[in-house]
Amino acid sequence: MNIILQHWNGNMPEWAILAEKTVRLYAKKIGVDYELVKGMPIGAEHGPNSQKLIYLDPKYDQYDQVLMLDMDTIATKIHSNVFDRPEIGVLHDRAMKGTSRTPSAAPLLYKKGAHVFFGNFIKLTCDQRIELRKHVNWKLFASAVVDHYSGDEIILHYLLHKSNILKGKKFTDICMRCDGTSAQDIYFRSFDRWDKKFANQPEDSDSDASIIHFCRSRKAFLPGVVKKMFGNTL
């Protein structure tokens, strides 16, 4: 069995309410569980975004795969099953090279060149989560993370390189977008761009995408898109 998670703390704006409805419906259509995680289950000291790491909690070990989606993500009426894909998500090429905001979120946790994934879409198997969990140190994370905006990305990055679970994996095995052999030559491939089906922005998604990410200012357009797509059926 698999599950889709989303997280929110506080009162939900209209765009979040609508997004949750679409993803919950999508989960039902593809035959998986859905949970909206609320509040600060990991602890307020870790900031809002790191709460998404709740997917590492042992209570989810009953699930083979757990997918955590950002709240500003919608599912469309095209129900391709994301759990048929083996990838974890989308590698953050700039963060791996040290040129994005993520490395500075916790310099003590960062290893240049090691895997970093965008936090809007993270899908892990039970075995992967168990191995990552062996290296969790919330006391360390509370002191090391100085920018909570990218807290989830930098902590997962640390857990991945400490656990070494991706050793020997090709970028095409774990990433829906990238190819290459290292952070030095990583690039966007021209084939099998599964991010365009499951993890990209509206303007970069395919017309038959199942999951679309309305990050940053795109949230303003989310309600209109959902209402046009679903009408009064949600």
Side-chain angles (χ1 to χ4, degrees), residues 62-121:
Q62 63 181 300
Y63 295 100
D64 178 27
Q65 297 185 75
V66 174
L67 169 61
M68 174 60 81
L69 293 175
D70 271 5
M71 200 70 241
D72 53 0
T73 301
I74 73 165
T76 71
K77 298 175 78 172
I78 297 172
H79 304 132
S80 300
N81 193 338
V82 67
F83 291 101
D84 289 339
R85 298 304 316 157
E87 299 89 355
I88 290 174
V90 177
L91 285 170
H92 194 332
D93 57 310
R94 290 179 293 109
M96 291 172 64
K97 296 174 182 177
T99 59
S100 79
R101 182 175 177 177
T102 301
S104 61
L108 291 176
L109 304 182
Y110 181 65
K111 181 179 180 182
K112 189 173 183 180
H115 301 92
V116 184
F117 286 89
F118 285 102
N120 63 293
F121 179 114

Short mmCIF file of all heavy atoms in Angstrom, two decimals, residues 62-121:
data_model
loop_
_atom_site.label_atom_id
_atom_site.label_comp_id
_atom_site.label_asym_id
_atom_site.label_seq_id
_atom_site.Cartn_x
_atom_site.Cartn_y
_atom_site.Cartn_z
N GLN A 62 4.15 1.01 7.44
CA GLN A 62 3.16 0.10 6.85
C GLN A 62 3.02 0.31 5.35
O GLN A 62 2.43 -0.52 4.66
CB GLN A 62 1.81 0.30 7.53
CG GLN A 62 1.21 1.69 7.33
CD GLN A 62 -0.11 1.89 8.01
OE1 GLN A 62 -1.08 1.18 7.72
NE2 GLN A 62 -0.16 2.84 8.94
N TYR A 63 3.54 1.46 4.86
CA TYR A 63 3.41 1.79 3.44
C TYR A 63 4.71 1.50 2.70
O TYR A 63 5.80 1.84 3.18
CB TYR A 63 3.05 3.26 3.27
CG TYR A 63 1.70 3.62 3.83
CD1 TYR A 63 1.58 4.23 5.08
CD2 TYR A 63 0.54 3.33 3.11
CE1 TYR A 63 0.33 4.56 5.59
CE2 TYR A 63 -0.71 3.65 3.62
CZ TYR A 63 -0.81 4.26 4.85
OH TYR A 63 -2.05 4.58 5.37
N ASP A 64 4.59 0.90 1.53
CA ASP A 64 5.76 0.65 0.70
C ASP A 64 6.37 1.96 0.25
O ASP A 64 7.56 2.22 0.46
CB ASP A 64 5.38 -0.21 -0.50
CG ASP A 64 6.56 -0.46 -1.43
OD1 ASP A 64 7.71 -0.43 -0.93
OD2 ASP A 64 6.36 -0.66 -2.63
N GLN A 65 5.55 2.82 -0.36
CA GLN A 65 6.04 4.12 -0.82
C GLN A 65 5.23 5.23 -0.16
O GLN A 65 4.01 5.14 -0.02
CB GLN A 65 5.90 4.25 -2.33
CG GLN A 65 6.72 3.26 -3.14
CD GLN A 65 6.63 3.52 -4.62
OE1 GLN A 65 7.23 4.45 -5.14
NE2 GLN A 65 5.87 2.68 -5.32
N VAL A 66 5.94 6.29 0.22
CA VAL A 66 5.32 7.50 0.75
C VAL A 66 5.73 8.66 -0.15
O VAL A 66 6.92 8.86 -0.41
CB VAL A 66 5.74 7.79 2.20
CG1 VAL A 66 5.19 9.13 2.66
CG2 VAL A 66 5.26 6.69 3.13
N LEU A 67 4.74 9.42 -0.62
CA LEU A 67 4.99 10.60 -1.44
C LEU A 67 4.57 11.84 -0.65
O LEU A 67 3.41 11.95 -0.25
CB LEU A 67 4.21 10.53 -2.75
CG LEU A 67 4.15 11.81 -3.60
CD1 LEU A 67 5.54 12.26 -4.03
CD2 LEU A 67 3.25 11.60 -4.81
N MET A 68 5.50 12.76 -0.43
CA MET A 68 5.19 14.04 0.20
C MET A 68 5.16 15.11 -0.88
O MET A 68 6.16 15.32 -1.59
CB MET A 68 6.23 14.39 1.26
CG MET A 68 6.07 15.78 1.87
SD MET A 68 4.47 16.06 2.72
CE MET A 68 4.77 15.27 4.31
N LEU A 69 4.02 15.77 -1.00
CA LEU A 69 3.85 16.85 -1.97
C LEU A 69 3.68 18.18 -1.25
O LEU A 69 3.00 18.25 -0.21
CB LEU A 69 2.61 16.61 -2.84
CG LEU A 69 2.61 15.43 -3.79
CD1 LEU A 69 1.25 15.29 -4.46
CD2 LEU A 69 3.70 15.58 -4.84
N ASP A 70 4.25 19.23 -1.80
CA ASP A 70 4.00 20.56 -1.27
C ASP A 70 2.51 20.88 -1.35
O ASP A 70 1.79 20.39 -2.23
CB ASP A 70 4.79 21.60 -2.06
CG ASP A 70 6.17 21.84 -1.49
OD1 ASP A 70 6.56 21.13 -0.54
OD2 ASP A 70 6.87 22.73 -2.00
N MET A 71 2.08 21.75 -0.46
CA MET A 71 0.66 22.10 -0.41
C MET A 71 0.20 22.84 -1.66
O MET A 71 -0.96 22.74 -2.07
CB MET A 71 0.39 22.97 0.83
CG MET A 71 -1.04 23.02 1.29
SD MET A 71 -1.59 21.44 1.99
CE MET A 71 -2.93 21.02 0.87
N ASP A 72 1.10 23.57 -2.30
CA ASP A 72 0.73 24.32 -3.50
C ASP A 72 0.84 23.46 -4.76
O ASP A 72 1.25 23.92 -5.82
CB ASP A 72 1.58 25.58 -3.64
CG ASP A 72 3.07 25.33 -3.58
OD1 ASP A 72 3.47 24.15 -3.44
OD2 ASP A 72 3.85 26.30 -3.68
N THR A 73 0.42 22.22 -4.61
CA THR A 73 0.45 21.24 -5.70
C THR A 73 -0.95 20.73 -5.94
O THR A 73 -1.68 20.42 -4.99
CB THR A 73 1.36 20.06 -5.34
OG1 THR A 73 2.70 20.55 -5.09
CG2 THR A 73 1.40 19.02 -6.43
N ILE A 74 -1.35 20.64 -7.20
CA ILE A 74 -2.66 20.09 -7.52
C ILE A 74 -2.51 18.81 -8.34
O ILE A 74 -1.47 18.58 -8.97
CB ILE A 74 -3.54 21.09 -8.32
CG1 ILE A 74 -3.04 21.23 -9.77
CG2 ILE A 74 -3.60 22.44 -7.62
CD1 ILE A 74 -4.04 21.88 -10.71
N ALA A 75 -3.54 18.01 -8.28
CA ALA A 75 -3.65 16.86 -9.17
C ALA A 75 -4.72 17.19 -10.20
O ALA A 75 -5.74 17.81 -9.88
CB ALA A 75 -4.03 15.61 -8.39
N THR A 76 -4.50 16.78 -11.43
CA THR A 76 -5.44 17.05 -12.51
C THR A 76 -6.45 15.91 -12.62
O THR A 76 -6.48 15.01 -11.79
CB THR A 76 -4.69 17.22 -13.84
OG1 THR A 76 -4.19 15.93 -14.27
CG2 THR A 76 -3.52 18.19 -13.70
N LYS A 77 -7.22 15.93 -13.67
CA LYS A 77 -8.20 14.86 -13.91
C LYS A 77 -7.60 13.71 -14.71
O LYS A 77 -8.30 12.79 -15.11
CB LYS A 77 -9.42 15.44 -14.63
CG LYS A 77 -10.15 16.50 -13.82
CD LYS A 77 -11.27 17.16 -14.58
CE LYS A 77 -12.50 16.28 -14.63
NZ LYS A 77 -13.67 16.99 -15.21
N ILE A 78 -6.30 13.78 -14.95
CA ILE A 78 -5.58 12.69 -15.63
C ILE A 78 -4.88 11.88 -14.55
O ILE A 78 -3.98 12.36 -13.87
CB ILE A 78 -4.57 13.25 -16.64
CG1 ILE A 78 -5.33 14.01 -17.74
CG2 ILE A 78 -3.73 12.14 -17.24
CD1 ILE A 78 -4.44 14.78 -18.69
N HIS A 79 -5.29 10.64 -14.38
CA HIS A 79 -4.89 9.87 -13.21
C HIS A 79 -3.80 8.84 -13.50
O HIS A 79 -3.91 7.69 -13.10
CB HIS A 79 -6.13 9.19 -12.61
CG HIS A 79 -7.23 10.14 -12.28
ND1 HIS A 79 -8.54 9.94 -12.65
CD2 HIS A 79 -7.20 11.35 -11.65
CE1 HIS A 79 -9.28 10.96 -12.25
NE2 HIS A 79 -8.49 11.83 -11.65
N SER A 80 -2.73 9.27 -14.16
CA SER A 80 -1.56 8.40 -14.30
C SER A 80 -1.00 8.16 -12.90
O SER A 80 -0.89 9.09 -12.10
CB SER A 80 -0.51 9.06 -15.19
OG SER A 80 -1.03 9.31 -16.48
N ASN A 81 -0.61 6.92 -12.63
CA ASN A 81 -0.21 6.56 -11.28
C ASN A 81 1.25 6.92 -11.02
O ASN A 81 2.17 6.29 -11.55
CB ASN A 81 -0.44 5.07 -11.04
CG ASN A 81 -0.33 4.69 -9.58
OD1 ASN A 81 0.29 5.38 -8.78
ND2 ASN A 81 -0.94 3.56 -9.23
N VAL A 82 1.48 7.91 -10.18
CA VAL A 82 2.83 8.36 -9.88
C VAL A 82 3.65 7.27 -9.20
O VAL A 82 4.89 7.24 -9.30
CB VAL A 82 2.78 9.63 -9.00
CG1 VAL A 82 2.21 9.32 -7.62
CG2 VAL A 82 4.15 10.27 -8.89
N PHE A 83 3.00 6.33 -8.54
CA PHE A 83 3.72 5.28 -7.84
C PHE A 83 4.24 4.20 -8.78
O PHE A 83 4.97 3.29 -8.35
CB PHE A 83 2.84 4.66 -6.75
CG PHE A 83 2.58 5.62 -5.62
CD1 PHE A 83 1.38 6.31 -5.53
CD2 PHE A 83 3.55 5.84 -4.65
CE1 PHE A 83 1.14 7.21 -4.51
CE2 PHE A 83 3.32 6.74 -3.61
CZ PHE A 83 2.12 7.42 -3.54
N ASP A 84 3.92 4.31 -10.05
CA ASP A 84 4.52 3.43 -11.05
C ASP A 84 5.92 3.89 -11.43
O ASP A 84 6.66 3.16 -12.08
CB ASP A 84 3.65 3.37 -12.31
CG ASP A 84 2.35 2.61 -12.09
OD1 ASP A 84 2.28 1.82 -11.14
OD2 ASP A 84 1.39 2.83 -12.88
N ARG A 85 6.28 5.12 -11.03
CA ARG A 85 7.60 5.65 -11.31
C ARG A 85 8.56 5.30 -10.17
O ARG A 85 8.19 5.36 -9.00
CB ARG A 85 7.56 7.19 -11.47
CG ARG A 85 6.69 7.69 -12.62
CD ARG A 85 7.09 7.10 -13.94
NE ARG A 85 8.54 7.09 -14.15
CZ ARG A 85 9.16 6.26 -14.98
NH1 ARG A 85 8.48 5.37 -15.68
NH2 ARG A 85 10.48 6.32 -15.11
N PRO A 86 9.80 4.94 -10.48
CA PRO A 86 10.76 4.55 -9.43
C PRO A 86 11.54 5.72 -8.83
O PRO A 86 12.19 5.55 -7.80
CB PRO A 86 11.71 3.61 -10.18
CG PRO A 86 11.73 4.17 -11.58
CD PRO A 86 10.31 4.65 -11.83
N GLU A 87 11.47 6.90 -9.45
CA GLU A 87 12.33 8.00 -9.03
C GLU A 87 11.91 8.61 -7.69
O GLU A 87 10.73 8.57 -7.32
CB GLU A 87 12.33 9.11 -10.10
CG GLU A 87 12.84 8.67 -11.45
CD GLU A 87 11.77 8.12 -12.37
OE1 GLU A 87 10.60 7.98 -11.92
OE2 GLU A 87 12.08 7.81 -13.53
N ILE A 88 12.88 9.20 -7.01
CA ILE A 88 12.62 9.89 -5.74
C ILE A 88 11.96 11.24 -5.99
O ILE A 88 11.06 11.65 -5.26
CB ILE A 88 13.94 10.09 -4.96
CG1 ILE A 88 14.44 8.73 -4.46
CG2 ILE A 88 13.76 11.06 -3.79
CD1 ILE A 88 15.82 8.79 -3.80
N GLY A 89 12.42 11.94 -7.00
CA GLY A 89 11.89 13.27 -7.29
C GLY A 89 12.74 13.94 -8.35
O GLY A 89 13.11 13.32 -9.34
N VAL A 90 13.08 15.21 -8.11
CA VAL A 90 13.85 15.99 -9.07
C VAL A 90 15.10 16.53 -8.38
O VAL A 90 15.02 17.24 -7.37
CB VAL A 90 13.03 17.16 -9.64
CG1 VAL A 90 13.89 18.01 -10.58
CG2 VAL A 90 11.81 16.64 -10.39
N LEU A 91 16.26 16.20 -8.91
CA LEU A 91 17.51 16.69 -8.35
C LEU A 91 17.62 18.21 -8.53
O LEU A 91 17.27 18.76 -9.58
CB LEU A 91 18.70 16.02 -9.02
CG LEU A 91 18.96 14.57 -8.59
CD1 LEU A 91 20.00 13.93 -9.51
CD2 LEU A 91 19.41 14.49 -7.14
N HIS A 92 18.10 18.87 -7.49
CA HIS A 92 18.29 20.32 -7.48
C HIS A 92 19.73 20.59 -7.92
O HIS A 92 20.65 20.63 -7.11
CB HIS A 92 18.04 20.83 -6.06
CG HIS A 92 17.88 22.31 -5.94
ND1 HIS A 92 18.45 23.21 -6.80
CD2 HIS A 92 17.20 23.06 -5.01
CE1 HIS A 92 18.14 24.44 -6.43
NE2 HIS A 92 17.37 24.37 -5.35
N ASP A 93 19.91 20.75 -9.21
CA ASP A 93 21.26 20.84 -9.77
C ASP A 93 22.05 22.02 -9.22
O ASP A 93 23.23 21.91 -8.92
CB ASP A 93 21.20 20.89 -11.30
CG ASP A 93 20.36 22.05 -11.83
OD1 ASP A 93 19.21 22.20 -11.37
OD2 ASP A 93 20.83 22.79 -12.70
N ARG A 94 21.40 23.17 -9.04
CA ARG A 94 22.12 24.34 -8.54
C ARG A 94 22.55 24.14 -7.08
O ARG A 94 23.65 24.55 -6.69
CB ARG A 94 21.24 25.58 -8.67
CG ARG A 94 21.05 26.04 -10.12
CD ARG A 94 20.16 27.26 -10.22
NE ARG A 94 18.79 26.97 -9.83
CZ ARG A 94 18.19 27.38 -8.73
NH1 ARG A 94 18.87 28.13 -7.86
NH2 ARG A 94 16.94 27.08 -8.46
N ALA A 95 21.70 23.50 -6.30
CA ALA A 95 22.06 23.23 -4.90
C ALA A 95 23.23 22.25 -4.81
O ALA A 95 24.11 22.39 -3.95
CB ALA A 95 20.85 22.67 -4.15
N MET A 96 23.25 21.27 -5.69
CA MET A 96 24.36 20.32 -5.69
C MET A 96 25.68 21.00 -6.02
O MET A 96 26.75 20.60 -5.54
CB MET A 96 24.07 19.19 -6.68
CG MET A 96 22.93 18.27 -6.25
SD MET A 96 22.41 17.08 -7.51
CE MET A 96 23.89 16.08 -7.69
N LYS A 97 25.61 22.06 -6.82
CA LYS A 97 26.82 22.81 -7.19
C LYS A 97 27.15 23.90 -6.17
O LYS A 97 28.19 24.55 -6.27
CB LYS A 97 26.62 23.44 -8.57
CG LYS A 97 26.47 22.44 -9.69
CD LYS A 97 26.14 23.13 -11.01
CE LYS A 97 25.94 22.12 -12.13
NZ LYS A 97 25.57 22.77 -13.41
N GLY A 98 26.25 24.12 -5.22
CA GLY A 98 26.49 25.12 -4.18
C GLY A 98 26.07 26.53 -4.55
O GLY A 98 26.50 27.49 -3.89
N THR A 99 25.22 26.68 -5.57
CA THR A 99 24.88 28.02 -6.06
C THR A 99 23.44 28.43 -5.79
O THR A 99 22.97 29.42 -6.33
CB THR A 99 25.15 28.13 -7.57
OG1 THR A 99 24.36 27.16 -8.27
CG2 THR A 99 26.61 27.89 -7.87
N SER A 100 22.73 27.69 -4.94
CA SER A 100 21.35 28.06 -4.60
C SER A 100 21.27 28.41 -3.13
O SER A 100 22.25 28.38 -2.39
CB SER A 100 20.38 26.92 -4.93
OG SER A 100 20.43 25.93 -3.92
N ARG A 101 20.07 28.69 -2.66
CA ARG A 101 19.84 29.06 -1.26
C ARG A 101 19.99 27.86 -0.32
O ARG A 101 20.32 28.03 0.86
CB ARG A 101 18.43 29.66 -1.14
CG ARG A 101 18.04 30.14 0.23
CD ARG A 101 16.67 30.81 0.17
NE ARG A 101 16.20 31.24 1.48
CZ ARG A 101 15.06 31.91 1.68
NH1 ARG A 101 14.29 32.23 0.64
NH2 ARG A 101 14.70 32.27 2.90
N THR A 102 19.77 26.66 -0.84
CA THR A 102 19.72 25.47 0.02
C THR A 102 21.01 25.21 0.80
O THR A 102 20.95 24.97 2.02
CB THR A 102 19.33 24.24 -0.82
OG1 THR A 102 18.05 24.47 -1.42
CG2 THR A 102 19.24 23.00 0.06
N PRO A 103 22.19 25.24 0.20
CA PRO A 103 23.41 24.96 0.98
C PRO A 103 23.60 25.88 2.17
O PRO A 103 24.04 25.45 3.24
CB PRO A 103 24.53 25.13 -0.05
CG PRO A 103 23.87 24.83 -1.36
CD PRO A 103 22.49 25.40 -1.24
N SER A 104 23.26 27.17 2.00
CA SER A 104 23.45 28.12 3.09
C SER A 104 22.42 27.96 4.20
O SER A 104 22.56 28.56 5.27
CB SER A 104 23.40 29.56 2.56
OG SER A 104 22.13 29.83 1.97
N ALA A 105 21.41 27.12 3.96
CA ALA A 105 20.41 26.87 5.00
C ALA A 105 21.03 26.16 6.19
O ALA A 105 20.57 26.31 7.33
CB ALA A 105 19.25 26.04 4.44
N ALA A 106 22.07 25.37 5.93
CA ALA A 106 22.76 24.66 7.01
C ALA A 106 24.15 24.26 6.52
O ALA A 106 24.38 23.12 6.14
CB ALA A 106 21.98 23.43 7.45
N PRO A 107 25.10 25.18 6.53
CA PRO A 107 26.45 24.88 6.03
C PRO A 107 27.09 23.67 6.70
O PRO A 107 27.85 22.93 6.06
CB PRO A 107 27.22 26.17 6.35
CG PRO A 107 26.18 27.24 6.35
CD PRO A 107 24.95 26.60 6.93
N LEU A 108 26.76 23.43 7.96
CA LEU A 108 27.34 22.29 8.67
C LEU A 108 26.83 20.95 8.15
O LEU A 108 27.48 19.92 8.35
CB LEU A 108 27.05 22.40 10.17
CG LEU A 108 27.78 23.52 10.92
CD1 LEU A 108 27.31 23.57 12.37
CD2 LEU A 108 29.29 23.34 10.86
N LEU A 109 25.67 20.96 7.50
CA LEU A 109 25.09 19.72 7.00
C LEU A 109 25.38 19.49 5.52
O LEU A 109 25.12 18.41 5.00
CB LEU A 109 23.56 19.75 7.20
CG LEU A 109 23.03 19.96 8.62
CD1 LEU A 109 21.51 19.90 8.61
CD2 LEU A 109 23.61 18.93 9.58
N TYR A 110 25.92 20.49 4.86
CA TYR A 110 26.04 20.46 3.40
C TYR A 110 27.33 19.80 2.94
O TYR A 110 28.41 20.05 3.48
CB TYR A 110 25.97 21.88 2.84
CG TYR A 110 26.07 21.94 1.33
CD1 TYR A 110 25.08 21.40 0.52
CD2 TYR A 110 27.18 22.55 0.72
CE1 TYR A 110 25.18 21.46 -0.86
CE2 TYR A 110 27.28 22.62 -0.66
CZ TYR A 110 26.27 22.05 -1.45
OH TYR A 110 26.38 22.11 -2.82
N LYS A 111 27.20 18.95 1.93
CA LYS A 111 28.35 18.33 1.27
C LYS A 111 28.24 18.63 -0.22
O LYS A 111 27.39 18.08 -0.92
CB LYS A 111 28.37 16.82 1.51
CG LYS A 111 29.57 16.13 0.86
CD LYS A 111 29.56 14.63 1.16
CE LYS A 111 30.74 13.94 0.50
NZ LYS A 111 30.72 12.47 0.74
N LYS A 112 29.09 19.50 -0.71
CA LYS A 112 29.03 19.92 -2.11
C LYS A 112 29.17 18.73 -3.04
O LYS A 112 30.03 17.87 -2.86
CB LYS A 112 30.13 20.94 -2.40
CG LYS A 112 30.00 21.61 -3.76
CD LYS A 112 31.02 22.73 -3.92
CE LYS A 112 30.85 23.43 -5.27
NZ LYS A 112 31.84 24.54 -5.43
N GLY A 113 28.28 18.68 -4.02
CA GLY A 113 28.31 17.61 -5.01
C GLY A 113 27.40 16.45 -4.68
O GLY A 113 27.05 15.67 -5.57
N ALA A 114 27.00 16.33 -3.42
CA ALA A 114 26.10 15.23 -3.02
C ALA A 114 24.67 15.54 -3.44
O ALA A 114 24.31 16.68 -3.71
CB ALA A 114 26.19 15.00 -1.52
N HIS A 115 23.84 14.51 -3.46
CA HIS A 115 22.47 14.65 -3.94
C HIS A 115 21.65 15.64 -3.12
O HIS A 115 21.64 15.59 -1.89
CB HIS A 115 21.76 13.29 -3.91
CG HIS A 115 22.42 12.24 -4.73
ND1 HIS A 115 23.38 11.38 -4.21
CD2 HIS A 115 22.28 11.90 -6.04
CE1 HIS A 115 23.79 10.55 -5.16
NE2 HIS A 115 23.14 10.84 -6.28
N VAL A 116 20.95 16.52 -3.84
CA VAL A 116 19.95 17.41 -3.25
C VAL A 116 18.70 17.32 -4.12
O VAL A 116 18.79 17.42 -5.36
CB VAL A 116 20.41 18.87 -3.19
CG1 VAL A 116 19.36 19.73 -2.47
CG2 VAL A 116 21.77 19.01 -2.53
N PHE A 117 17.57 17.12 -3.49
CA PHE A 117 16.30 17.08 -4.22
C PHE A 117 15.45 18.29 -3.88
O PHE A 117 15.44 18.75 -2.74
CB PHE A 117 15.52 15.81 -3.87
CG PHE A 117 16.07 14.55 -4.47
CD1 PHE A 117 17.04 13.82 -3.80
CD2 PHE A 117 15.64 14.10 -5.71
CE1 PHE A 117 17.56 12.65 -4.35
CE2 PHE A 117 16.16 12.95 -6.27
CZ PHE A 117 17.12 12.22 -5.59
N PHE A 118 14.72 18.78 -4.88
CA PHE A 118 13.70 19.79 -4.60
C PHE A 118 12.69 19.21 -3.63
O PHE A 118 12.29 18.04 -3.75
CB PHE A 118 13.00 20.22 -5.89
CG PHE A 118 13.81 21.13 -6.76
CD1 PHE A 118 14.44 20.65 -7.90
CD2 PHE A 118 13.92 22.48 -6.45
CE1 PHE A 118 15.18 21.50 -8.72
CE2 PHE A 118 14.66 23.34 -7.26
CZ PHE A 118 15.29 22.85 -8.39
N GLY A 119 12.23 20.02 -2.68
CA GLY A 119 11.36 19.53 -1.63
C GLY A 119 9.90 19.42 -1.97
O GLY A 119 9.12 18.89 -1.18
N ASN A 120 9.51 19.88 -3.16
CA ASN A 120 8.07 19.88 -3.49
C ASN A 120 7.53 18.49 -3.79
O ASN A 120 6.32 18.26 -3.71
CB ASN A 120 7.80 20.78 -4.70
CG ASN A 120 8.48 20.31 -5.97
OD1 ASN A 120 9.71 20.33 -6.06
ND2 ASN A 120 7.70 19.89 -6.96
N PHE A 121 8.42 17.55 -4.11
CA PHE A 121 8.02 16.18 -4.46
C PHE A 121 9.11 15.24 -3.97
O PHE A 121 10.23 15.25 -4.50
CB PHE A 121 7.86 16.07 -5.99
CG PHE A 121 7.48 14.70 -6.50
CD1 PHE A 121 6.24 14.49 -7.10
CD2 PHE A 121 8.36 13.62 -6.44
CE1 PHE A 121 5.90 13.24 -7.61
CE2 PHE A 121 8.02 12.37 -6.92
CZ PHE A 121 6.78 12.17 -7.51
#
